[in-house]
Amino acid sequence: MSNEDVERYRTHEPENLHERYAHRAAHMKPSEIRSLFAVASRPEIVSLAGGMPNLTAIPMETMASIVEKLIKDHGQEALQYGSGQGHPKLREQICDVMALEGIRANPDDILVTTGSQQALDLISRIFIDPGDVVLVEAPSYVGALGTFSQYEASVVHVEMDKDGLVPEALRQAIKTLRYQGRKIKFLYLIPNYQNPAGVLLPADRRTEILDICRREKIFIVEDNPYGLLGFDRPSPNAMRAEDSENVIYLGSFSKTIVPGFRIGWALVPQALREKLVIASESSILCPSNFAQMSISSYLADQPWRDQISSFVELYKARRDVMLETLDAYFPKAATWTRPQGGFYVWVTLPPEIDTKAMMPKAIVAKVAYVPGTAFYADGFGSWSMRLSYCYPTPERIREGVKALAGVVEEEIQRRNTLRLN
Ligand code: PMP
């Protein structure tokens, strides 16, 4: 047996498999975060890598009784197939949730999805032909970048600063791309407590970006899983609140209730609804009635706004610890964002530091993070990293950030020595 055969045998891979795959399968690659999870989830490592919601604030007894009652009282419906567009009662309740961010919506324009991740897939499926341009923030959500690349989009990053996407940079990017004759399909952005940068887009920029995109006939995909997790004040109104024709709004219960039910939604301009429903039916037939009705009972009978407030307290305390420890221990050559909500801090190091190459050293120091390149489609971001404070305890966050500060300091010293030599 040749070495190649041995390897194929080991991985159970049929011969010439890559030739049998469809062309698009070549674009299906594991995300950087996924391969990190195996290492980062070892108990001795403080993981500042994943973005898992902290479910310690969820009353599990209450969840158990909701689910038990649901099956006892409504099992015939809850365990049956349901509507492709989503459960009508939940769609009404979703309108109440969105009203908190200024959105007035009709339940008919909502498609319930299996997490907002499925909505990203459906939108990509109906809009992206190979080579089409999708505009995204720089940096952007790794899960969205993976989806866009599977549909062979050409992802173009647009500059962000500490206040999110820069409108002038957006104007310039559109102008350049149009001059090159490229087709721009939509702008994907996360205006609230962005993943991975943690920044918040102010109201005036929202209006300006809405104006630009409306004028240029570019849809906006507003992804908003963190909007209700503002620490000191509510976030500005959703962009969808100002424009119901040109904004596709994505919501999710993953961060405000639990991710395990996998319930998200898309609120879409009426003209797009039919296509999205058809696309969704083809991938899942219908979202889980059981999961939708569990969320629906929770919203109907539980103090869900108070629950969101306890999440806010929990995440705010962790954000404080992370920022205090960064301020106290991180080298002065590093900078970082100061999130007013959500899960993430974005750290920028001196450009000569490669955070991917530094990762093994961090693992030895028992801390993990996500290297910045994961959040760019074009290999940029090598001197930055995402730290999340959502999951570990405050003590572990302190321990992890201190350990990471040591690794970064050493790396900066090493680079300085190399340069002097
Ligand atoms: N968008 C963003 C910005 C996210 O951070 C996430 C999850 N980390 C998602 C979408 C997907 O969330 P879900 O599918 O659980 O709703």
Side-chain angles (χ1 to χ4, degrees):
M1 261 196 210
S2 70
N3 283 348
E4 221 172 79
D5 288 339
V6 170
E7 177 63 13
R8 202 178 298 128
Y9 182 74
R10 197 181 63 75
T11 57
H12 308 285
E13 190 184 299
E15 213 174 326
N16 295 338
L17 186 56
H18 60 284
E19 286 169 19
R20 298 196 224 168
Y21 277 137
H23 174 63
R24 77 182 74 86
H27 299 269
M28 297 173 182
K29 301 199 182 95
S31 80
E32 215 141 330
I33 293 199
R34 193 164 103 188
S35 42
L36 261 178
F37 269 145
V39 182
S41 60
R42 297 209 301 254
E44 71 275 19
I45 309 272
V46 179
S47 177
L48 307 175
M52 281 200 299
N54 197 314
L55 301 188
T56 56
I58 286 284
M60 289 300 168
E61 285 299 318
T62 308
M63 279 295 174
S65 59
I66 286 175
V67 168
E68 186 183 356
K69 191 166 175 335
L70 175 64
I71 293 188
K72 277 189 179 151
D73 297 352
H74 303 284
Q76 286 297 337
E77 186 186 358
L79 301 179
Q80 188 53 275
Y81 288 117
S83 142
Q85 192 177 346
H87 199 279
K89 179 165 178 212
L90 180 64
R91 284 191 279 121
E92 275 172 27
Q93 291 166 307
I94 286 173
C95 290
D96 298 337
V97 173
M98 291 191 296
L100 296 178
E101 293 179 85
I103 295 175
R104 287 177 48 206
N106 183 336
D108 285 350
D109 296 331
I110 292 173
L111 169 71
V112 178
T113 54
T114 302
S116 52
Q117 191 66 36
Q118 192 212 352
L120 286 168
D121 186 73
L122 298 176
I123 289 163
S124 302
R125 182 143 29 117
I126 67 172
F127 280 111
I128 301 173
D129 282 323
D132 285 347
V133 172
V134 172
L135 297 167
V136 303
E137 294 150 306
S140 185
Y141 167 50
V142 59
L145 296 180
T147 305
F148 302 152
S149 108
Q150 282 197 24
Y151 286 94
E152 301 172 57
S154 165
V155 172
V156 174
H157 290 276
V158 182
E159 184 194 340
M160 268 202 318
D161 62 16
K162 66 173 190 16
D163 292 323
L165 192 81
V166 178
E168 188 47 35
L170 176 63
R171 267 189 213 98
Q172 284 307 322
I174 296 171
K175 201 168 151 191
T176 309
L177 289 160
R178 290 262 157 91
Y179 181 74
Q180 295 168 346
R182 316 276 299 279
K183 242 190 209 167
I184 306 171
K185 285 300 172 75
F186 55 83
L187 164 68
Y188 167 76
L189 84 175
I190 308 152
N192 294 316
Y193 323 116
Q194 203 246 14
N195 181 2
V199 298
L200 179 71
L201 191 70
D204 53 344
R205 279 201 185 179
R206 293 180 190 220
T207 306
E208 202 176 341
I209 292 168
L210 283 164
D211 286 346
I212 297 171
C213 289
R214 202 180 303 118
R215 218 173 313 121
E216 297 287 347
K217 299 196 171 36
I218 295 171
F219 280 118
I220 292 179
V221 177
E222 176 182 27
D223 189 8
N224 188 29
Y226 305 99
L228 296 178
L229 298 180
F231 296 153
D232 300 310
R233 61 186 71 85
S235 51
N237 271 354
M239 297 173 83
R240 167 58 176 73
E242 258 188 72
D243 188 338
S244 58
E245 297 294 311
N246 204 45
V247 178
I248 301 168
Y249 174 95
L250 309 187
S252 172
F253 290 114
S254 290
K255 276 81 184 184
T256 48
I257 304 181
V258 291
F261 286 123
R262 305 301 302 124
I263 296 296
W265 67 93
L267 169 65
V268 297
Q270 220 176 24
L272 303 181
R273 187 183 65 198
E274 174 111 323
K275 277 267 188 275
L276 270 177
V277 174
I278 293 170
S280 183
E281 283 173 346
S282 132
S283 62
I284 60 165
L285 281 187
C286 62
S288 154
N289 252 1
F290 170 66
Q292 292 181 89
M293 290 172 77
S294 300
I295 296 270
S296 176
S297 309
Y298 178 90
L299 291 169
D301 302 331
Q302 299 301 317
W304 57 272
R305 287 183 186 78
D306 296 343
Q307 178 59 45
I308 293 176
S309 304
S310 19
F311 273 132
V312 164
E313 289 312 308
L314 182 147
Y315 294 130
K316 185 180 175 189
R318 283 164 169 77
R319 185 273 319 253
D320 287 346
V321 169
M322 179 168 276
L323 289 182
E324 279 161 26
T325 319
L326 282 164
D327 290 342
Y329 292 94
F330 248 57
K332 295 288 166 275
T335 56
W336 50 89
T337 54
R338 307 190 81 84
Q340 298 164 51
F343 286 7
Y344 310 107
V345 170
W346 181 251
V347 179
T348 307
L349 301 178
E352 60 273 18
I353 308 282
D354 180 341
T355 52
K356 203 166 173 184
M358 191 176 78
M359 192 64 182
K361 293 176 191 165
I363 296 294
V364 171
K366 299 195 171 55
V367 58
Y369 56 84
V370 186
T373 45
F375 307 98
Y376 285 89
D378 52 11
F380 197 80
S382 59
W383 61 90
S384 42
M385 57 185 162
R386 188 190 77 178
L387 305 183
S388 43
Y389 48 79
C390 44
Y391 195 73
T393 59
E395 295 69 39
R396 296 272 283 169
I397 293 173
R398 203 171 287 120
E399 196 184 306
V401 174
K402 266 196 209 176
L404 186 56
V407 174
V408 171
E409 181 67 60
E410 216 170 88
E411 200 62 9
I412 291 177
Q413 295 296 344
R414 200 171 68 82
R415 292 282 155 172
N416 286 345
T417 319
L418 280 178
R419 210 170 22 200
L420 287 177
N421 290 339

